Each structure stands twice: as structure tokens, then as C-alpha cells.
Amino acid sequence: MEKWRILQTIARFVLPLHLIVRPMTCDKLGRYSRLIGRSCIMPTKYDSPITDMPTSLTELKGLIQKAVGGDNLRQPYESIWVSSSSCPTTPSHTMYMPLLCVVAQGSKQVTLGDEQYIYDTGHFLLNTVTLPATSRVLDASPEKPHLGMTIGLDPAMVGSVIAEAGLPTPTAGTPLRAMESSPIDCGLLDAVVRLARFFDSPRESPYLRSLVLREIIYLLLKGPQAARLHQIVPGLGQTQRVARAISWLRDNYDKPLTIEKLARESGMSSSALHHHFKDVTALTPLQFQKQLRLQEARRLMVSEGMDAANAGFKVGYDDPSYFSRDYRRFFGAPPRQHVERLRGDAVQIESAP
């Protein structure tokens, strides 16, 4: 009976496991199929559909709705978030970590610098570098709420998948923008659905969940966003120098910034830093630092009750009027008015998109 239960679990959550370096032969897979009482077909391509798109979306909608339970943002497991919104939302400023975002219903827009990315049931969003961005739900209603799932991407796991699968490293060149929206295929959506099924199966989750996460990474690495995902791996090209600059800015956002010092910290010339930093983030280093400062100041005022002058000073502003001017330009309202509105609406500053 124990063997039977294990095989049923593998069939429900893990098969088809494209990531196995030595895939099962069709004969061996057939024997497993007969044992678990279901038919399995070994896909001939890594992006072959396992189920049709509407069926997968319907199941994913149900799994997210059950996990969230109304308008909310929840984290069922480490580095996995699910959210629901029954109406379009105002822009929300947050830090985007390396992640994959999938929508089961509705659509969402992310603004990075002057660029906008829209993703919906037919597209996923991939981000490979930690950066500040603005997001909002576009399409949602009480009858058809926006339903989304966000999966954090671990650089170490991405590097491990690349090494174990023997995938080639892209030719070095100009760094790609860290964020992009791309069409989702049935194979990737199917893997996301199988990951969501763990919301109901905590006992099987810890080990098998990592297998499905690796499969998702593998499918991304075999798809059109492979070169962008390679940028997440430490030590690969100019993007990692930009990542070092971003890390320094996050740790020192409250300190005066000179491009020369940041260039030394990242191992690039000043001109190369400016060029590559904007290639990856769509922002200049000074714009990036300003957004970090303003988001942290907002958090201090909303979560810790700090007044605007002290919050501005805490994040590196010497002039309160200059801080208020930057804050109003970025958030669309003066600090006090904006914070009062956030508190009055009981808005939670999101930790995940």
C-alpha cells in the first residue's frame, strides 16, 4: 500500500518530470502508468502540452481561490505567493525579487522605469534581478476576480539545473532587461498547476515541491527567456556586476552616492556601469537609489508611525522640502496625505507582486 501511495503521489505532482537528466524509457514509464492506474504519455518535446490550457487554468483558479479565501495576499510556502483581487487596483510600489508570475484569471500591469509590462492568462512575467517597480491589477470584478501566483526563483537552484542538465551558457553580450512578459505554453502552465496542488498536500510538499520547481526552471531555460534567466546565476557576465551594484545600493541607500564609488564596488568603469545598469533595470543608479529611499520612507511612516521629516532624514534626505517634493512626484501625493490614505484604506504594503 505504501508503494501504491508513493506512485500515486508522484503521478499527481511530479510527472512528467522533464528535468531528470536520464528520462524514463517509454517502457518503464508505461509500467509505472499501469501501477498507478492512469495512462501516461511520454512527451516528445519539452514544451509538449500535458493538459489543454483551459483545463489547466480552471484548475489553477480553483486552487488559488481555495488558498486565498477572498481578496488577499497569502504565502502558502516559502517563496510562493497567491493573491486575489475583486476589482482593479491603484498602483502599488514594491520590490520585485527574481520571480515568475502567472495569472489564472484577469490581467496585471507592471511599470519599470518608463516601460510597462502586461501579463494575463496567456502570458507570464519573468524578473531576474531585484529592483523597484510599480504594479496594478487591470482586469478584475467580483464575478471574475484577478487570481495570481508568484514563484520566487532561487539563483542557486537555477545554476544547479543548468549544470545538471548540461545546458549551454549563452554567448556574452549586452545585458538584457531584467524583466519581460512572454507567452505561456501548456507545458509550463501544467507544471505551475502541479506546484499549486501542494497547497492541499502539505505532507508530500517539501521534497516533491522542489522537484516541480526545478522542472519549471528547466522549462524556462528551454524557452525563449533562457538567456534572460541565465542572468540570475552568479558569476555570469555583466549582469552580475550590475547585481553587485544593486546589492550595494540596497545596503547603502541612505548614504551619499557617487557613480565612481559604485563603479568600483561593482567592478566596472563609470560609463559601463551607467550603460549596463540601465540596460538591466531601466533606471539610472541615482533613480534606483531614489526609489529605494522613498519606498523605505513610506514603510517607516506607515508601519512605524514616523513623521515625514524624520522618515526622510532616516533614508538619506537632508532637506525635508526636497524629500516631500520627491515623495509627491513618485507616489502622487504629499507624504502625510498619502500615509493617511493608506492607513484609512487599511492597505498592506506588499512584500511580493
Side-chain angles (χ1 to χ4, degrees):
M1 289 299 294
E2 182 65 16
K3 180 178 180 182
W4 182 275
R5 187 188 68 78
I6 292 172
L7 289 172
Q8 285 182 318
T9 300
I10 292 173
R12 181 169 185 243
F13 294 106
V14 181
L15 290 174
L17 193 57
H18 313 307
L19 183 57
I20 299 175
V21 177
R22 297 179 181 176
M24 292 183 187
T25 65
C26 291
D27 178 63
K28 184 178 292 185
L29 184 59
R31 290 200 297 273
Y32 276 110
S33 302
R34 289 188 291 274
L35 276 171
I36 60 179
R38 56 173 269 183
S39 60
C40 296
I41 301 174
M42 174 66 91
T44 57
K45 292 184 178 180
Y46 288 115
D47 61 351
S48 296
I50 308 307
T51 57
D52 62 284
M53 191 78 78
T55 301
S56 292
L57 285 173
T58 298
E59 182 176 359
L60 186 59
K61 283 190 292 186
L63 291 167
I64 293 175
Q65 285 179 313
K66 185 176 180 180
V68 175
D71 284 11
N72 204 352
L73 169 71
R74 287 199 55 210
Q75 186 177 6
Y77 297 106
E78 182 181 1
S79 300
I80 297 176
W81 296 265
V82 287
S83 62
S84 174
S85 177
S86 59
C87 62
T89 62
T90 57
S92 173
H93 303 271
T94 188
M95 291 298 296
Y96 270 63
M97 313 299 283
L99 49 78
L100 168 70
C101 298
V102 176
V103 170
Q105 187 166 265
S107 62
K108 197 167 186 177
Q109 174 186 287
V110 177
T111 301
L112 178 63
D114 296 327
E115 299 178 356
Q116 294 181 341
Y117 303 89
I118 295 176
Y119 59 105
D120 51 24
T121 55
H123 299 80
F124 66 85
L125 183 79
L126 179 67
N127 183 55
T128 57
V129 173
T130 300
L131 40 76
T134 303
S135 66
R136 66 188 182 104
V137 172
L138 295 178
D139 182 17
S141 68
E143 296 75 26
K144 291 186 176 182
H146 174 273
L147 301 168
M149 181 170 170
T150 299
I151 303 167
L153 299 174
D154 177 14
M157 183 178 286
V158 175
S160 173
V161 172
I162 291 172
E164 291 178 17
L167 298 175
T169 300
T171 304
T174 302
L176 299 171
R177 183 77 81 239
M179 186 176 288
E180 185 58 275
S181 175
S182 188
I184 189 168
D185 62 46
C186 292
L188 179 59
L189 180 60
D190 177 83
V192 172
V193 170
R194 283 183 280 118
L195 185 63
R197 288 175 186 160
F198 288 114
F199 300 160
D200 289 333
S201 305
R203 189 171 72 161
E204 288 87 2
S205 175
Y207 174 68
L208 296 180
R209 188 171 77 244
S210 68
L211 296 180
V212 181
L213 280 170
R214 294 170 72 85
E215 179 185 353
I216 289 171
I217 290 170
Y218 182 86
L219 291 171
L220 290 170
L221 288 166
K222 295 293 289 185
Q225 298 304 326
R228 183 168 280 103
L229 187 55
H230 269 83
Q231 294 185 156
I232 198 176
V233 181
L236 293 182
Q238 297 288 356
T239 303
Q240 288 307 308
R241 294 188 175 93
V242 173
R244 287 204 295 271
I246 289 173
S247 179
W248 190 90
L249 285 171
R250 293 182 66 199
D251 292 338
N252 300 275
Y253 62 85
D254 57 336
K255 298 180 175 62
L257 173 64
T258 64
I259 296 299
E260 292 75 16
K261 178 174 178 56
L262 187 60
R264 288 196 302 272
E265 294 289 339
S266 59
M268 288 187 280
S269 67
S270 297
S271 60
L273 169 66
H274 190 276
H275 177 70
H276 293 313
F277 195 97
K278 193 159 188 179
D279 281 340
V280 173
T281 69
L283 300 167
T284 67
L286 289 172
Q287 289 172 331
F288 193 98
Q289 182 199 45
K290 182 179 290 187
Q291 292 199 21
L292 291 179
R293 286 180 167 184
L294 293 173
Q295 290 197 31
E296 175 61 12
R298 178 190 62 169
R299 188 194 67 80
L300 290 171
M301 289 185 289
V302 174
S303 301
E304 300 186 16
M306 197 173 287
D307 61 54
N310 283 319
F313 181 76
K314 182 79 171 178
V315 300
Y317 281 88
D318 295 327
D319 185 343
S321 62
Y322 185 42
F323 167 70
S324 294
R325 185 184 67 184
D326 276 355
Y327 193 99
R328 181 169 189 165
R329 284 178 176 173
F330 187 63
F331 290 110
R336 175 182 286 183
Q337 179 182 333
H338 186 235
V339 170
E340 287 177 352
R341 186 171 74 234
L342 291 176
R343 289 173 177 162
D345 294 341
V347 172
Q348 177 184 7
I349 298 177
E350 297 183 0
S351 59

